């Protein structure tokens, strides 16, 4: 599938292009917004990757112009962590999703896959099949009767193009437009050779049936698969590929090696700003240039394996963009940060690994108390990118499964089991207050619908088809993903940090723990959390101290704060709220209460940010 990447940082763009090519995407690069607008209007792209801070035409205005011209292809924003206002503006301008820099490669690829699926008029399964030929679009694995087939990126793209459009005839020029970048000028003979090579590779693994049909004078289309003999079952791939194309990994690491020495040169601009600040001659233009360079480095370094360098660049950017006059102590701090950044860049970067291209585990959909219904869904589950498991009750689930369910499905079988099922549903809502639950009923009864609605269940289906069930599950998973956020936990007790982290992570929350409160401020800047969870009693700086420090800063003053304390008397709680905390929770921590408070606070904060933007 064809992706337009709009990114002005050459090093980031080169690495990202290597990664996307390794995943069998065709990538077209634009280094400024105006060029991106031109390319988007001239060629047909399946998705647009758009950096916000680009020259000539910034990402937000580019997004607006694309939507104004009727271009409705999915747009994924690439943005800095601490620009939440710009993210909201970008989404309001028409973008579909965003990823923060420095981004995790596996998360970026997952969001690209999700948007490409969402960009279709119909939900397309994650497994494309033709007779015994299977293509797993998540892992890019191609098999025939379970036997792997090694295809080039162009061959893979050609195969996917026809499997996704089984009724369509593609001319050679249309295939060139889909599979090659706009600056490439292959002849139509290149398409003929590509189809010949694909046919040859399929024959080499024993595939006798002809996949593609030549429509003379028009082009090519997918043939109808031959009828399978009775009892014959095509072997479906039931898991994600365990190994990736090592040639692609080597190409990515070669790109990292080629550009790693250029980062030290880019620090020169920051050093010029530091020297000017020491002599009180830092002009606004140089300050802005240095801030922009730190912004770009913060996003680029993380993608190249310099995680510490990315955090230091982020801290430099934050220092330079402060809305105040810089003083001598700021010059000293800037000097220290630049020194630490140069030290971090003197180390070898972390090499790109196979695991970074591996898709995340399939989300678990738990079917409660109906084994036969679960078995029906299991047959199609892998096609829809989910994993179906059944539990007779909650106790059996705890004993059998370690993965946390993303969706719970409860089927009510007739009036006799209705009351029993409603009681079980009530228990599930108490145990999983924020997990989406889908109720399926045998009869469409208003009284039953009301009873289910009163328990807070938002999805109710009557005698649905399996296809309808999976479509609703897909929607619920997308909504659940939207509630995820980042939580920073500060506690001097390492055991408590582990407990809180283990409680939060299964819900998809990213957790950053900190044991030393003296490192609070620098960790806050580099983490950019959606919520702070602070212990009340700590050495050096108490939870009250840290609450006050956060609230006095205009940039961080609105971050939700949840105080965790063993002291729940009225006087202690009054002090907590007076210091600026939004909420508190007593020790020992109750898991369900904690999760409810954390997710509700994050969602409320995001809503307030959007309303005030």
């Amino acid at each position: 599938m064809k992706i337009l990447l709009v990114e002005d940082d050459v090093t980031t763009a080169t690495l990202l292009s290597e990664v996307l090519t390794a995943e069998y995407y065709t990538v077209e690069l634009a280094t400024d917004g105006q060029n991106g607008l031109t390319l988007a209007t001239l060629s047909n792209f399946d998705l647009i990757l758009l950096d916000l801070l680009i020259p000539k035409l910034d990402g937000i205005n580019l997004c607006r112009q694309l939507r104004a011209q009727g271009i409705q292809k999915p747009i994924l924003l690439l943005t800095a962590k601490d620009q939440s206002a710009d993210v909201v503006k970008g989404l309001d301008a028409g973008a579909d999703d965003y990823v923060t820099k420095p981004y995790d490669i596996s998360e970026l690829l997952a969001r690209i896959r999700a948007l490409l699926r969402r960009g279709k008029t119909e939900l397309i399964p994650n497994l494309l099949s033709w007779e015994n030929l299977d293509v797993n679009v998540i892992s890019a694995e191609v098999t025939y009767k379970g036997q792997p087939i090694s295809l080039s990126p162009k061959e893979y793209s050609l195969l996917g193009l026809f499997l996704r459009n089984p009724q369509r005839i593609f001319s050679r020029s249309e295939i060139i437009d889909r599979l090659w970048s706009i600056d490439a000028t292959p002849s139509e003979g290149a398409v003929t050779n590509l189809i010949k090579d694909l046919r040859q590779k399929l024959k080499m693994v024993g595939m006798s049936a002809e996949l593609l049909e030549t429509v003379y004078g028009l082009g090519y289309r997918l043939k109808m698969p031959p009828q399978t003999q009775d009892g014959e079952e095509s072997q479906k791939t039931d898991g994600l590929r365990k190994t990736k194309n090592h040639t692609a990994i080597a190409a990515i690491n070669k790109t990292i090696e080629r550009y790693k020495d250029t980062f030290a040169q880019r620090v020169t601009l920051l050093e010029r700003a530091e020297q000017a600040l020491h002599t009180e001659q830092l002009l606004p233009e140089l300050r802005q240039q240095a801030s922009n360079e730190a912004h770009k480095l913060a996003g680029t370094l993380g993608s190249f394996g310099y995680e510490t360098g990315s955090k230091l660049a982020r801290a430099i950017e934050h220092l330079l963009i402060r809305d105040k006059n810089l003083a001598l102590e700021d010059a000293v701090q800037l000097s220290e940060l630049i020194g630490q950044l140069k030290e971090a860049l003197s180390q070898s970067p972390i090499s790109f690994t196979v695991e970074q291209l591996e898709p995340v585990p399939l989300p678990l959909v738990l079917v409660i108390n109906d084994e036969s219904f679960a078995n029906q869904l299991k047959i199609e589950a892998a096609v829809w990118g989910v994993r179906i498991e059944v539990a007779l009750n909650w106790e059996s689930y705890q004993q059998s499964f370690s993965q946390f369910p993303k969706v719970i499905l409860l089927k009510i079988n007739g009036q006799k089991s209705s009351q029993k099922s409603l009681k079980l549903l009530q228990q599930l809502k108490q145990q999983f207050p924020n997990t989406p639950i889908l109720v399926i009923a045998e009869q469409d009864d208003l009284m039953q619908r009301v009873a289910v609605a009163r328990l807070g269940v938002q999805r109710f289906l009557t005698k649905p088809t399996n296809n309808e069930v999976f479509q609703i599950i897909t929607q619920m998973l997308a909504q659940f993903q939207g509630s995820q956020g980042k939580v920073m936990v500060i506690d001097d007790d390492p055991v408590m940090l582990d407990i809180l982290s283990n409680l939060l992570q299964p819900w998809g929350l990213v957790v950053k723990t900190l044991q030393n409160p003296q490192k609070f401020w620098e960790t806050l800047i580099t983490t950019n959390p959606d919520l702070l969870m602070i212990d009340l009693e700590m050495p050096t700086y108490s939870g009250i101290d840290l609450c006050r420090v956060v609230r006095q800063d205009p940039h961080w003053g609105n971050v939700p704060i949840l105080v965790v304390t063993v002291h729940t008397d009225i006087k202690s709680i009054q002090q907590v709220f007076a210091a600026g905390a939004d909420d508190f929770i007593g020790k020992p921590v109750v898991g369900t209460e904690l999760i409810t408070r954390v997710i509700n606070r994050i969602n409320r904060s995001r809503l307030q940010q959007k309303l005030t933007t």
Side-chain angles (χ1 to χ4, degrees), residues 288-305:
Q288 184 62 48
Q289 291 174 351
S291 176
N292 291 344
E293 186 61 42
H295 173 92
K296 292 180 180 179
L297 282 172
T300 304
L301 293 177
S303 302
F304 274 75

Side-chain angles (χ1 to χ4, degrees), residues 278-290:
H278 272 290
T279 58
E280 299 183 353
Q281 295 179 348
L282 180 58
L283 299 177
E285 182 180 359
L286 179 57
R287 179 174 175 175
Q288 184 62 48
Q289 291 174 351

Side-chain angles (χ1 to χ4, degrees), residues 387 389-391 393-403:
R387 172 185 162 210
E389 295 293 350
V390 62
N393 49 51
W394 170 237
E395 289 73 17
S396 65
Y397 166 75
Q398 287 181 309
Q399 295 171 4
S400 305
F401 308 109
S402 58
Q403 188 180 349

Side-chain angles (χ1 to χ4, degrees), residues 213-274:
E213 175 185 7
T214 302
V215 183
Y216 292 99
L218 296 177
Y220 303 90
R221 70 179 169 197
L222 190 71
K223 292 186 69 174
M224 290 293 293
Q227 295 293 324
T228 58
Q229 297 180 1
D230 292 341
E232 181 183 356
E233 295 183 1
S234 60
Q235 301 179 15
K236 303 296 182 182
T237 53
D238 58 357
L240 299 174
R241 185 167 51 180
K242 295 183 179 180
T243 58
K244 271 289 182 180
N245 189 325
H246 288 276
T247 302
I249 297 297
I252 294 171
N253 284 325
K254 186 177 180 180
T255 302
I256 292 176
E257 187 68 23
R258 184 165 75 246
Y259 283 100
K260 69 181 180 64
D261 294 331
T262 66
F263 295 126
Q265 303 171 10
R266 296 172 61 175
V267 178
T268 304
L269 181 61
L270 303 181
E271 292 179 314
R272 283 176 50 201
E274 174 213 343

Side-chain angles (χ1 to χ4, degrees), residues 5-17:
L5 172 61
V6 188
E7 169 65 72
D8 66 317
D9 189 275
V10 177
T11 52
T12 299
T14 304
L15 179 63
L16 190 50
S17 295

Side-chain angles (χ1 to χ4, degrees), residues 21-25 133-136 139-144 147-161 163 194-205 207 211-212 241 244-248:
T21 302
E23 290 293 296
Y24 302 99
Y25 297 112
L133 178 68
D134 298 316
V135 178
N136 188 322
S139 62
E141 182 180 31
V142 182
T143 60
Y144 179 72
Q147 179 183 353
I149 306 174
S150 177
L151 299 180
S152 70
K154 284 287 188 294
E155 292 165 349
Y156 176 87
S157 299
L158 179 69
L159 178 59
L161 178 65
L163 291 179
L194 181 63
I195 291 177
K196 180 181 177 181
D197 292 340
L198 176 61
R199 284 171 169 167
Q200 184 63 31
K201 286 190 176 181
L202 295 178
K203 287 181 180 179
M204 289 175 62
V205 296
M207 183 172 165
L211 178 76
L212 299 179
R241 185 167 51 180
K244 271 289 182 180
N245 189 325
H246 288 276
T247 302

